[in-house]
Amino acid sequence: MISTSNITMRFGKTALFEDVSVKFVPGNRYGLIGANGSGKSTFMKILTGQLTPSDGEVAIGNECSLGYLRQDHSAFDDYRIIDTVYTGNPALWKLHCEREDLYSKDELTDEENDRCGHIEDEFGEAGGYTMEAEAATLLVGLGFTTDLFDQKMTVLQGGFKLRVLLAQVLFGQPDILLLDEPTNHLDMESIEWLVELLKRYTGTVLTISHDRFFLNQVCTHIADLDFHEIRMFPGNYDDFTIASLEARELQEKANRKVEKQAHELKAFISRFSSNASKAKQATSRKKTLDKLDIKKFKASSRVSPFIRFNPKTRLGDRVIEAKAISKTYDEQLFGDFSCTIGPEERVAIIGKNGIGKTSLLNILCGQLESTTGQVKFGETVQMGLFPQDTSDLLDPNARALDWLGRFSESGTTEVELRSFMGRMLFRGDDALKKTGVLSGGEKARLILSKMTMEGGNVLVLDEPTNHLDLESIEALNFALSLFKNTMLFVSHDHRFIATLATRIFEITEDGIVDYPGTLDDYEAMKKSRKKGK
């Protein structure tokens, strides 16, 4: 078990959270949620001992081991990939290194010979003879092929390094597992694999995530960081959403009842306080009025942007037509793919990481040349683009307000620009920050501001939810559900795809599958085919 007692964290005069006392018990899987900047990662770093709280303390059960998903992606660059996983069990890794060192020597001292006689027993008891198979199972589940196991970590890009570090912390099988955004850079298949693994986990799990599907599938409890405190809710994310709304509605109802009673008492006191025969009753009601407690609602750190996509021009019947397109870099990603996309279709492009989803999306929206074939667009098409890498679009040296102004119509005033930005939660001087210093969530919201202002009639989005908090994801999801025109998007967010897509393009090693239906229908079809084999 891991618990906190009256934890407070201040930065200067600002308190992220105060007097937080919570327990995380074995067998439960907790989702730690809250708005960006509310202090989730800070709280987790306090639990791991990386940060010292301003007040309060953390208690960890006797002999409980703690595993934490590292955010330092370069810490193991000199290690082989499989060795990085082994280090997740420090005691076993130490024995493994000692054993390898002993057996690599041509001659041994008497002491080393004696050590050889004992180390095999220790190595076996620690799990040494199954370590390679267990590490391999984790790596394969996270999308690695066996030929990569002996490669150095430096051959991997950031997203795949994170996967190895996830395998590392899981390999240690700690009693307490702390995961900060474990689904970042994972494709849908790997996320589903991780979900199943965590469901079987017998220890304590605490995870920060903005993935609603992941939270719903994994969590038995939600730890909500808001109002500078942590409140615990049983159930998954959907259960929390319902329970928190109900709790607020009940408090509002109770407040209305108390306010009505207060109004009636004030009316009686005002009417009869000067009446001698009623003075005693008026005094009694005054005492009752003074005791009434109308709960004041604290200001929530949760704020949702207001997002609406309103096309400025009508979209015609012809939108996108692709004929025999392919894309080859060093190797071919896909080939000979043809499709016609109509005016009300919502196409989700899915598949494993690195298989070509972004390339296909960019070809279909005219941002990338195909190796063969051609793509034609309808004459009325005006695209609104959300790139996966915001640095491709943003000027790091420009103020956010000035950058957005580059895409506005002539005559657009600063007040109007600030209005667009205000809906996306840019307040006051936030609009004057240079785009290079904006957080990932701020950059995403700035590009959404551009899209809403431009009013494109076809929307193209590449991993738009990556850096958004849950409130912004919900707002974007709702806004896109209201958009009636063509939409193409890449995402690993299961719920985002399931609630929006009407057509699925899945890129596989055998080609592109074009399925005319929802994600749920597509997954059901694939499962039925597997059963039929």
Side-chain angles (χ1 to χ4, degrees):
M1 182 182 76
I2 184 168
S3 62
T4 68
S5 176
N6 301 117
I7 290 287
T8 295
M9 193 64 181
R10 298 186 188 90
F11 292 98
K13 295 182 180 179
T14 303
L16 276 180
F17 39 82
E18 298 177 286
D19 298 323
V20 172
S21 297
V22 290
K23 289 182 180 179
F24 303 103
V25 302
N28 287 344
R29 300 182 297 273
Y30 301 87
L32 179 59
I33 66 171
N36 284 346
S38 62
K40 301 185 296 296
S41 292
T42 298
F43 181 75
M44 191 168 278
K45 287 178 181 177
I46 289 172
L47 295 182
T48 64
Q50 296 176 80
L51 288 177
T52 302
S54 305
D55 294 297
E57 59 184 18
V58 176
I60 300 177
N62 291 334
E63 299 184 2
C64 279
S65 58
L66 187 149
Y68 173 60
L69 178 60
R70 294 175 179 269
Q71 299 301 310
D72 183 359
H73 296 184
S74 61
F76 292 87
D77 278 356
D78 292 332
Y79 287 69
R80 294 188 310 158
I81 288 171
I82 198 160
D83 287 344
T84 302
V85 178
Y86 292 155
T87 62
N89 186 331
L92 179 57
W93 173 244
K94 184 178 179 182
L95 284 170
H96 171 74
C97 291
E98 183 185 0
R99 182 172 175 266
E100 291 290 305
D101 181 59
L102 285 171
Y103 292 158
S104 69
K105 294 182 177 181
D106 294 329
E107 295 184 11
L108 299 176
T109 64
D110 291 342
E111 185 179 346
E112 288 171 336
N113 267 315
D114 184 58
R115 178 60 180 149
C116 283
H118 295 90
I119 196 169
E120 288 301 327
D121 289 338
E122 294 179 29
F123 186 67
E125 289 174 4
Y129 299 125
T130 59
M131 63 187 287
E132 185 174 357
E134 291 171 2
T137 298
L138 291 169
L139 288 170
V140 170
L142 287 166
F144 291 91
T145 53
T146 55
D147 59 294
L148 284 171
F149 291 2
D150 291 326
Q151 297 291 315
K152 288 285 186 74
M153 286 284 283
T154 48
V155 306
L156 302 178
Q157 298 300 315
F160 281 94
K161 282 186 179 180
L162 183 65
R163 292 183 185 212
V164 179
L165 298 178
L166 178 56
Q168 178 191 62
V169 71
L170 294 171
F171 181 78
Q173 296 183 330
D175 301 301
I176 301 163
L177 186 59
L178 304 178
L179 305 172
D180 191 348
E181 295 288 0
T183 61
N184 275 4
H185 306 291
L186 295 187
D187 54 37
M188 288 175 62
E189 188 175 315
S190 296
I191 291 172
E192 289 174 1
W193 173 87
L194 180 60
V195 164
E196 293 306 314
L197 186 146
L198 292 178
K199 282 181 178 179
R200 299 191 301 270
Y201 211 82
T202 56
T204 305
V205 177
L206 176 62
T207 180
I208 297 171
S209 181
H210 295 150
D211 188 315
R212 297 163 295 173
F213 169 80
F214 180 76
L215 291 171
N216 276 334
Q217 293 294 310
V218 168
C219 295
T220 61
H221 294 74
I222 295 295
D224 178 37
L225 178 50
D226 198 9
F227 309 108
H228 304 292
E229 62 186 16
I230 291 180
R231 296 177 297 165
M232 202 69 74
F233 292 82
N236 60 21
Y237 177 70
D238 282 348
D239 295 327
F240 154 76
T241 302
I242 294 168
S244 59
L245 286 173
E246 288 178 345
R248 188 172 184 91
E249 287 172 0
L250 285 173
Q251 186 59 62
E252 289 174 345
K253 185 177 181 181
N255 272 7
R256 287 194 295 271
K257 186 176 180 180
V258 173
E259 287 170 352
K260 182 181 178 183
Q261 185 181 0
H263 177 75
E264 292 171 349
L265 289 170
K266 287 176 183 177
F268 185 93
I269 294 165
S270 175
R271 183 177 179 185
F272 296 111
S273 58
S274 59
N275 187 322
S277 64
K278 298 282 188 178
K280 192 173 182 180
Q281 294 179 49
T283 301
S284 174
R285 282 168 169 73
K286 178 67 168 64
K287 291 178 179 179
T288 302
L289 178 63
D290 292 339
K291 292 178 182 178
L292 289 182
D293 182 22
I294 299 177
K295 297 285 185 183
K296 290 186 177 179
F297 292 105
K298 295 180 182 179
S300 172
S301 58
R302 284 193 171 86
V303 187
S304 297
F306 180 83
I307 308 173
R308 291 295 183 271
F309 299 101
N310 297 311
K312 289 185 176 179
T313 60
R314 179 184 171 278
L315 182 63
D317 293 335
R318 292 182 65 251
V319 183
I320 300 171
E321 184 179 359
K323 290 185 178 180
I325 60 173
S326 68
K327 190 59 186 177
T328 300
Y329 294 103
D330 293 333
E331 296 180 358
Q332 188 180 72
L333 293 176
F334 52 82
D336 197 29
F337 178 63
S338 300
C339 66
T340 300
I341 300 172
E344 294 183 1
E345 291 193 284
R346 300 172 178 175
V347 181
I349 301 174
I350 65 174
K352 293 181 179 179
N353 281 345
I355 204 164
K357 300 185 297 296
T358 294
S359 294
L360 177 60
L361 182 74
N362 286 338
I363 288 170
L364 291 176
C365 70
Q367 298 298 301
L368 179 68
E369 287 288 330
S370 59
T371 305
T372 62
Q374 61 178 341
V375 178
K376 293 182 179 179
F377 304 100
E379 294 179 359
T380 61
V381 169
Q382 295 179 349
M383 293 193 180
L385 304 175
F386 187 106
Q388 182 181 145
D389 187 353
T390 56
S391 63
D392 292 342
L393 189 56
L394 296 173
D395 177 354
N397 297 313
R399 297 188 310 173
L401 182 71
D402 297 333
W403 178 86
L404 186 62
R406 297 175 186 177
F407 305 95
S408 63
E409 297 177 349
S410 59
T412 303
T413 66
E414 181 175 321
V415 172
E416 290 172 319
L417 285 174
R418 282 184 174 272
S419 176
F420 276 104
M421 298 183 73
R423 295 172 197 166
M424 296 297 173
L425 310 183
F426 287 88
R427 310 295 190 210
D429 290 342
D430 289 345
L432 304 180
K433 290 181 183 177
K434 288 189 175 181
T435 68
V437 303
L438 298 179
S439 68
E442 288 173 325
K443 289 176 180 178
R445 286 187 274 111
L446 183 60
I447 290 174
L448 289 172
S449 296
K450 167 185 173 292
M451 292 176 69
T452 60
M453 186 173 68
E454 289 180 317
N457 56 21
V458 173
L459 300 184
V460 180
L461 307 101
D462 193 353
E463 296 284 5
T465 64
N466 271 359
H467 299 287
L468 298 178
D469 59 20
L470 283 164
E471 287 66 44
S472 297
I473 292 172
E474 296 278 9
L476 176 60
N477 207 150
F478 180 66
L480 292 174
S481 72
L482 298 177
F483 187 75
K484 301 304 181 185
N485 287 354
T486 305
M487 186 193 313
L488 291 84
F489 62 96
V490 171
S491 181
H492 294 146
D493 187 318
H494 191 285
R495 187 162 175 174
F496 192 77
I497 301 169
T499 55
L500 292 174
T502 61
R503 185 175 178 183
I504 306 293
F505 290 170
E506 182 177 18
I507 307 179
T508 72
E509 286 83 357
D510 300 322
I512 298 176
V513 178
D514 181 354
Y515 181 81
T518 67
L519 179 64
D520 289 342
D521 291 341
Y522 181 57
E523 290 182 335
M525 181 271 290
K526 289 203 296 183
K527 285 179 182 178
S528 66
R529 284 186 177 179
K530 282 183 180 180
K531 288 180 181 179
K533 286 185 177 180

